[in-house]
């Protein structure tokens, strides 16, 4: 028979067999084709698993390739976002540092309270003998010559010149700087003298062995140019054997500072308290509650009793003996 007829007969036979299998496809055990079907399934299961393995492998390979290209594109996107966020990160760090310094400066509370203004250093003038800064605040904000300048660590300098919107600050290290100071441990007075170096000298120290390495140096308030007790630094021996001061203000950049609106100690005293009448306390006592009045009278009575006892003790002490007067010698006439 020709090959075409043979193929056609085989196709017809297979089709008839398939139809018979579909018709007799039941779940019961009574089908006459159940054994043949079980044998076909037994053989087809492993064979199908073998043929399905390459399909699974190719599927995993396709997933891996797709994931790789997705990861590459995602990596590129994240890199672009990182490049865009880096300037914001740097700006956030800078703002965090500035806020920390602001908080430190706002935490400064001089005693007694002194009004303060915050300023920023806009220019730096340095030389072998000059150390000064320009601040972006001036006479329009109430800044005056002589106002002390501090940062979050301690005293920086003082104002030596003003204009409406700019002021000039002389640092403690300038050769023209002279600051009355005291040693916190011994209360010894001295003069902090700038010489252009980073560590000004301690001169005219009063007392013997009144300074030791590590002693805190504070403003003394002598002369009325600075309030008393502003921190300056710690004492240390220089290479030349003289006493010098390691400034607290050198612990950070001097870019943000606070200006104390301090002129003299007169502004720190209440004029009403100085000009109070002598009997003001008695007038206030008349307006007090009975308990307060009784306590005040009791205190006054104790003071009066102590004063009377002191007078009695003084009267009981015999007066010191006086030298006997020499007898008068009469002259002959």
């Amino acid at each position: 028979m020709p090959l075409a007829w043979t193929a056609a007969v085989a196709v017809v036979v297979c089709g008839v067999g398939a139809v018979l299998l579909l018709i007799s496809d039941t779940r019961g055990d009574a089908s006459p084709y159940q054994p043949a079907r079980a044998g076909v399934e037994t053989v087809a299961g492993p064979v199908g698993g073998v043929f399905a393995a390459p399909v699974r492998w190719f599927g995993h390979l396709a997933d891996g390739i797709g994931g790789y290209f997705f990861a590459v594109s995602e990596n590129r996107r994240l890199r672009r976002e990182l490049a865009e966020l880096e300037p914001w990160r740097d700006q956030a760090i800078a703002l965090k540092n500035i806020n920390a310094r602001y908080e430190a400066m706002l935490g400064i509370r001089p005693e007694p309270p002194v009004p303060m203004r915050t300023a920023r250093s806009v220019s730096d003038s340095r030389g072998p003998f000059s150390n000064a800064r320009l601040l972006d605040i001036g006479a329009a904000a109430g800044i005056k010559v002589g106002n002390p300048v501090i940062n979050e660590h301690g005293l920086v300098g003082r104002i030596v010149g003003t204009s409406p919107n700019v002021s000039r600050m002389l640092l403690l290290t300038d050769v023209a700087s002279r600051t009355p100071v005291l040693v916190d441990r011994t209360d010894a007075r001295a003069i902090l003298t700038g010489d252009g170096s980073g560590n000004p000298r301690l001169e005219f120290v009063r007392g013997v062995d009144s300074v030791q390495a590590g002693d805190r140096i504070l403003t003394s308030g002598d002369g009325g140019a600075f309030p008393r007790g502003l921190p300056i630094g710690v004492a240390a021996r220089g290479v030349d054997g003289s006493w010098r001061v390691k400034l607290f203000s050198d612990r950070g950049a001097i870019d943000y500072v606070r200006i104390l609106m301090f002129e003299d100690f007169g502004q720190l005293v209440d004029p009403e308290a100085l000009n109070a009448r002598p009997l003001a306390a008695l007038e206030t006592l008349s307006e007090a509650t009975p308990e307060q009045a009784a306590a005040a009278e009791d205190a006054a009575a104790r003071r009066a009793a102590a004063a009377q006892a002191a007078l009695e003790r003084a009267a009981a002490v015999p007066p010191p003996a006086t030298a006997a007067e020499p007898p008068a010698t009469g002259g002959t006439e």
Side-chain angles (χ1 to χ4, degrees):
M1 295 179 62
L3 183 60
W5 288 102
T6 304
V9 171
V11 170
V12 171
V13 172
C14 290
V16 173
V19 171
L20 292 175
L21 290 174
L22 289 174
I23 292 173
S24 61
D25 187 16
T26 59
R27 297 184 179 275
D29 297 334
S31 175
Y33 301 101
Q34 187 65 25
R37 183 182 178 188
V40 171
E41 291 178 352
T42 302
V43 176
V47 174
V50 172
F51 284 104
V55 176
R56 292 194 299 270
W57 296 340
F58 280 110
H60 294 322
L61 180 60
D63 293 341
I65 294 174
Y68 172 77
F69 285 107
F70 174 77
V72 172
S73 61
E74 186 71 8
N75 189 22
R76 292 175 180 173
R77 184 183 66 82
L78 293 176
R79 285 179 179 274
R80 289 194 301 268
E81 291 183 359
L82 182 61
E84 295 175 358
L85 293 176
E86 281 182 352
W88 291 95
R89 179 203 62 187
D90 298 339
Q91 186 176 1
I93 294 175
L95 290 176
K96 180 181 178 181
N97 294 333
I98 293 174
N99 288 336
R101 298 187 62 186
Y102 276 152
E103 291 175 358
M105 286 191 293
L106 290 175
I108 298 175
R109 296 290 186 270
E111 285 292 340
V114 180
M116 291 184 286
R117 297 287 186 273
T118 303
R120 182 175 182 178
S121 176
V122 296
S123 178
D124 185 4
S125 174
R126 289 185 176 272
F129 304 104
S130 175
N131 290 321
R133 300 284 181 92
L134 293 181
L135 307 179
D136 62 350
I137 191 172
I143 306 302
K144 297 181 179 180
V145 174
N147 289 154
V149 182
I150 62 176
N151 64 0
E152 65 270 28
H153 301 296
L155 184 66
V156 176
R158 69 179 189 274
I159 300 297
V160 294
T162 60
S163 66
N165 298 316
V166 178
S167 58
R168 186 169 182 266
M169 173 183 63
L170 190 72
L171 300 179
L172 295 175
T173 55
D174 191 277
V175 294
S177 176
R178 300 291 186 275
T179 307
V181 298
L182 61 86
V183 182
D184 190 21
R185 181 179 57 86
T186 61
D187 202 32
R189 292 330 196 248
I191 298 295
L192 186 69
T193 304
D195 58 358
S197 65
N199 301 317
R201 296 194 309 270
L202 276 179
E203 296 183 343
F204 308 107
V205 181
R206 296 182 183 178
V208 179
D209 297 332
S210 56
V211 183
Q212 294 181 1
D215 285 345
R216 294 178 71 247
I217 306 300
L218 311 175
T219 56
S220 64
D222 297 337
F226 295 92
R228 179 187 173 96
L230 295 179
I232 296 178
V234 295
R237 279 288 187 183
V239 293
D240 56 351
S242 62
W243 284 110
R244 293 183 176 268
V245 176
K246 296 180 180 179
L247 300 177
F248 290 146
S249 58
D250 287 342
R251 293 177 178 177
I254 305 176
D255 47 5
Y256 292 96
V257 296
R258 303 205 78 185
I259 303 174
L260 276 67
M261 312 298 288
F262 177 83
E263 299 177 22
D264 53 46
F265 289 101
Q267 73 182 96
L268 305 180
V269 180
D270 186 6
E272 297 181 358
L274 290 178
N275 299 326
R277 291 173 295 176
L279 300 180
L282 298 179
E283 295 176 358
T284 305
L285 183 62
S286 63
E287 300 175 358
T289 61
E291 293 78 5
Q292 294 175 344
E297 292 176 358
D298 184 48
R302 287 198 300 269
R303 288 195 298 269
Q308 183 65 26
L311 291 176
E312 293 177 355
R313 287 194 301 270
V317 177
T322 57
E325 296 182 356
T329 57
T332 58
E333 294 181 357

